[in-house]
Amino acid sequence: MIDPFGRHVSYLRVSVTDRCDFRCVYCMAEDMTFLPKRDLLSLEELDRMCSAFIDKGVKKLRLTGGEPLVRKGIMTLVENLGRHLRSGALEELTLTTNGSQLAKYASELVAHGVRRINVSVDTLDAAKFKQITRWGDLAKVKDGIRAAQAAGLAIKINAVALKGVNEQEIPEMIRWCGDEGMDLTLIETMPLGDIDGDRTDQYLPLSVVRAQLMDQFTLEDIPYKTGGPARYVKVKETGGRLGFITPLTHNFCESCNRVRLTCTGTLYMCLGQEDAADLRAPLRASEGNELLHAAIDEAITRKPKGHDFIIDRRHNKPAVSRHMSVTGG
Ligand code: SAM
Ligand code: SF4
């Protein structure tokens, strides 16, 4: 799949549910209305969708959400998708999780071919963790991380940089990840969906964080790539890798290889634009995949050049109305 700007689309992210057992302040309002269950694709339909994308050249598949591990029967989907790893059609099957259910699922994930996962942890302070996630329990997430490590999963920690919240803690997180042999990626808050607060108060440019970190750490640029948007440095003092995802301070759209499928079968060709393609109708219209393949091809011709995120006092409305949990982070 090649888009109008010559970019190869080889990476599919699938939001398998918009529901979640946390309510992170930058992601959701506390009182969220979720999609009616009857609108969701079944696990079989999700499998068919993913397989169609793999037929069309997707090499990397990330399950996300909402919280992917709260979707009922999710391990059946992971197990079934594992066949594409064994056949060699798919190079990587991975997921992004808040870690709350990892203790339960870590060894199954490994058994089905998952090798690497991203776990979101924004702070190591239990009280602050509760404040940020509203419903989360840091101890449980840490147990999950330990279980994942014991099962042999490589872990990357994702942390959203939040002004005045975890800003001072980033050096400690770098040391923790270094000690635990985990990569760490910092993310700028993106203006997606209404939340119960003002994002201008949360937004912390990573250019500022990076400059502050240079007082304590030696950061060496490295060419390491995972297929995602992060740019990596090596932290000399810990030996660990540190990634920066900077949709606001440095737009990374020129190398975008991704599209995103929601749990209702809507394909978003860009996280930061409203345009979308309905793939559920062509999927359900026939048993064969011709209509679905044609709809995917047509959608790829509409992949936009990039997003237009801005966060400042004059632009404090979401760039797009849907939450990150719908499109999948
Ligand atoms: N529930 C899982 C989790 O938290 O890892 C997967 C879905 S979550 C939407 C994926 C990632 O998006 C998480 O790392 C989360 O911190 C990040 N995220 C959510 N809302 C965001 C926003 N408005 N700006 C930047 N990152 C956001
Ligand atoms: Fe849930 Fe992940 Fe959003 Fe937090 S960031 S509310 S864990 S979907």
Side-chain angles (χ1 to χ4, degrees):
M1 291 181 284
I2 301 179
D3 81 357
F5 303 95
R7 296 169 298 190
H8 284 256
V9 177
S10 56
Y11 184 174
L12 177 69
R13 296 194 181 193
V14 184
S15 174
V16 296
T17 173
D18 64 328
R19 287 162 199 258
C20 188
D21 51 348
F22 290 6
R23 290 288 181 280
C24 302
V25 290
Y26 47 76
C27 181
M28 293 189 184
E30 184 155 23
D31 177 21
M32 283 286 283
T33 312
F34 293 107
L35 295 162
K37 287 210 168 118
R38 61 172 184 278
D39 286 354
L40 301 195
L41 296 181
S42 68
L43 294 171
E44 293 75 18
E45 287 175 323
L46 279 170
D47 184 296
R48 231 183 109 197
M49 284 280 193
C50 293
S51 303
F53 276 93
I54 294 167
D55 287 346
K56 296 205 80 43
V58 157
K59 297 283 173 215
K60 178 167 171 170
L61 192 65
R62 176 176 299 278
L63 304 181
T64 175
E67 174 48 39
L69 296 181
V70 303
R71 171 89 197 238
K72 222 170 167 186
I74 187 66
M75 282 303 128
T76 313
L77 178 66
V78 177
E79 181 175 11
N80 288 337
L81 290 173
R83 73 185 182 282
H84 297 298
L85 290 169
R86 289 190 296 278
S87 77
L90 187 64
E91 284 167 12
E92 184 170 42
L93 175 61
T94 181
L95 81 163
T96 302
T97 172
N98 66 22
S100 69
Q101 313 292 315
L102 257 184
K104 191 154 101 202
Y105 290 126
S107 22
E108 262 187 274
L109 288 170
V110 173
H112 301 325
V114 176
R115 295 291 170 260
R116 253 172 15 114
I117 57 169
N118 291 357
V119 185
S120 304
V121 180
D122 301 322
T123 174
L124 295 171
D125 174 318
K128 219 182 271 180
F129 188 84
K130 181 118 249 161
Q131 235 175 38
I132 297 175
T133 61
R134 293 195 185 103
W135 297 0
D137 175 358
L138 180 64
K140 212 167 154 198
V141 171
K142 281 184 155 175
D143 284 347
I145 291 174
R146 269 189 289 274
Q149 285 174 320
L153 285 167
I155 298 176
K156 187 179 80 162
I157 300 293
N158 278 346
V160 175
L162 298 164
K163 187 158 77 185
V165 179
N166 61 0
E167 191 174 355
Q168 300 308 321
E169 244 194 280
I170 294 172
E172 187 192 340
M173 296 212 41
I174 292 177
R175 289 193 190 91
W176 174 62
C177 288
D179 290 347
E180 295 287 331
M182 305 184 292
D183 291 345
L184 171 65
T185 295
L186 302 174
I187 309 174
E188 284 174 341
T189 44
M190 293 173 241
L192 304 174
D194 273 321
I195 52 170
D196 299 327
D198 182 351
R199 278 183 213 277
T200 343
D201 298 334
Q202 304 177 343
Y203 174 55
L204 174 60
L206 287 181
S207 47
V208 172
V209 173
R210 190 172 168 147
Q212 285 169 357
L213 289 175
M214 308 260 260
D215 293 342
Q216 295 187 45
F217 298 103
T218 319
L219 307 180
E220 295 167 350
D221 283 314
I222 49 170
Y224 179 71
K225 282 262 162 232
T226 60
R231 285 175 303 148
Y232 283 90
V233 296
K234 184 162 185 172
V235 183
K236 205 167 162 205
E237 287 74 9
T238 66
R241 272 187 299 246
L242 173 64
F244 295 91
I245 299 187
T246 53
L248 288 109
T249 54
H250 174 265
N251 188 306
F252 44 63
C253 304
E254 73 276 4
S255 59
C256 182
N257 57 355
R258 295 171 290 286
V259 286
R260 296 173 149 90
L261 184 72
T262 72
C263 54
T264 55
T266 303
L267 187 74
Y268 286 97
M269 288 70 81
C270 175
L271 179 62
Q273 302 284 356
E274 298 284 6
D275 189 32
D278 172 35
L279 300 184
R280 188 175 56 183
L283 176 93
R284 289 184 176 170
S286 76
E287 302 231 317
N289 280 346
E290 296 75 24
L291 293 174
L292 180 57
H293 281 179
I296 294 172
D297 287 341
E298 194 278 326
I300 299 298
T301 67
R302 285 195 273 137
K303 186 166 163 62
K305 194 160 183 208
H307 62 68
D308 315 297
F309 293 148
I310 307 175
I311 298 184
D312 64 25
R313 296 271 165 216
R314 278 172 303 134
H315 302 88
N316 61 1
K317 287 258 170 304
V320 293
S321 56
R322 62 188 189 276
H323 292 88
M324 185 73 133
S325 49
V326 172
T327 338

